[in-house]
Amino acid sequence: MEAANCSLRVNRLLLDPKFESYKLSLDPLPCYSVELDAAVAEVKLRDDQYTLDHMRAYGMYNYLHSNSWSSDSMFYVDQLGRVMNITVTLDTALGKPVEVFRLPSDVSACDRRLCASMHFTSPSWVTLSDGTGTLYLIHVAEPAESAPGKWALKFNQELGDPFIVVHSVFSAEAQVVHVLMLSIEKDELDVEGSGFHVSLEWVSIACNTSPDGKCEIVKRRKFHGKSVPHYAAIELDGNGLMIISYKPFRSTDSEQDQPQEERMDEDGKKEPLYFWQQTAEDVTLTFHLPDGTTKEDIKIQFSPYLISISLKEQETFLKGQLYSVIDHESSTWIVKDERSVEVTLAKRDKGSMWTELIVGDKQGEFVADPVQCATIAQRLMHLTSETLNPDPDCEKPACNAQELEECDISLEDSTTLCRFDSNTLKATHVVNLGSNQYLFSVVAAPKMMPCFSLRHDVDALLWQPASSPGDNLWEHAATFNALGYVQASKQDKKFFTCAPDFSYAALCECVRRIFIYRQPTPVSTVLYNRKEGRHVGQVAKQQVASLEISDPILGFQASNERLFVLTTKKLFVIRVNTAV
């Protein structure tokens, strides 16, 4: 099944075209803190972790974990290998963090370890990684009146290279815990890039809640990519996986199903499935035939928008939607020397140039016509120069990139949102996000997938993925006015989040400062816009909190009423909203 090209449908009712700005509020924010008995188990990057992917995945890791099933309950792992919990009910009476679990082995001696990570799968299950390559599955009993629920280890197994837990879900019907893990692995075949690739492994564990029940891994699947995903989450029923990434991910399992000679050439590089080139009138597609294939084994069908190629050994060799409409009655194909097939597609729009042959297909390679390239270069020669600005006194001087603001420059032009099917491990839905910069993700409702926020023009729009595939997989859930533009000016920002009820958004810098942006709320006094003379009924506020400590911020989480900030030796609680 070919991946469907989709788009995100903006709910215009959630946009405010008349939004002006955030008003700085000097109202104090109550801030409380508690000293930690032992420092947070921070793991700094090693000398061999030098790429941008290592920094994004490990160097900017959020060490504070929120239990979305229990309000204002936060967890972290300290240097003693203890999982510590603090649950806030009264800000003025913060208690000390309580130990709920201790890692069975001492991980500090491991030279290649990563930071410990965890995810709260359900009210009864927690997935935990010690950073050395071992996965733990923990069952949580019902909490007592004055103490958190008891944590009982149900499963642990070493899975290979060190990893961090990204997401997990519990399928109650099948009694299976699905865990998504991320690691950055050395890639010996990558001689031109960073030398690493990003691995996402999807592990399914059949679990049993009885005291002597046994948990075991029933399925393992892997995806590889060349960049750390901005967002990766498993659907609640375990039927799909959604990934937002700058570079695409592919399943290694589906690649292993292909013949080796089709995937690699003699130099160990991936060989294109086909080659194509174009002129103003037509597009030519060429592919090699497997040995023993005759003309009778080839079936090629054209339609104005589609092409389908089938061979004897492969029921569907190539199939998909063409980039543009063709004259299918004038399109032809021939067999050349019984070794390759040449397909000629007649363009209906003469002169239009295609950017790809089949929409979303990356298996082919475009071959540029040397004569055509020379002609284009000749036509553009008058626009180029060996000097930076050869005529600075002209009426229209050359554009100076330094005049652009940083927030106007986007490096995420090829970022995509993909949904993969759990059975075929192939993409079923693809959204080209273009310049819609990824901002952050948050769990708005624990029984749903995490939301993700994208920048649309100047706003930050929050999208809620659906639990099961349908016509509209992503719903526009909330809008933070002008926040896409505002956050771009915060060059030292480290973490970005919002309240589960969308009442405010917050970001923190690497050290000390916290910025809070509240949604517009009605004002009790009468205000007028001096320029337009109209009545202002709502005001959006910005507040700034500064921590009285210079230690780096290691963790940042938000609830509807509080912000939690974790440093090496302290946990801060900032009261943002008052419970109604």
Side-chain angles (χ1 to χ4, degrees), residues 418-435:
C418 293
R419 178 195 179 270
F420 293 88
D421 183 77
S422 62
N423 295 320
T424 63
L425 303 183
K426 294 183 179 180
T428 60
H429 300 74
V430 178
V431 179
N432 185 0
L433 298 181
S435 59

Side-chain angles (χ1 to χ4, degrees), residues 8-20 436 453-463 475-484 519-520 538:
L8 300 176
R9 303 174 186 174
V10 176
N11 185 353
R12 299 294 175 183
L13 298 178
L14 296 179
L15 302 180
D16 183 7
K18 296 183 179 180
F19 180 82
E20 295 180 346
N436 298 129
S453 177
L454 304 175
R455 176 179 175 177
H456 290 250
D457 195 9
V458 298
D459 296 333
L461 271 56
L462 205 65
W463 298 90
E475 179 186 358
H476 180 190
T479 300
F480 294 98
N481 300 300
L483 196 56
Q519 292 279 35
Q538 291 185 326

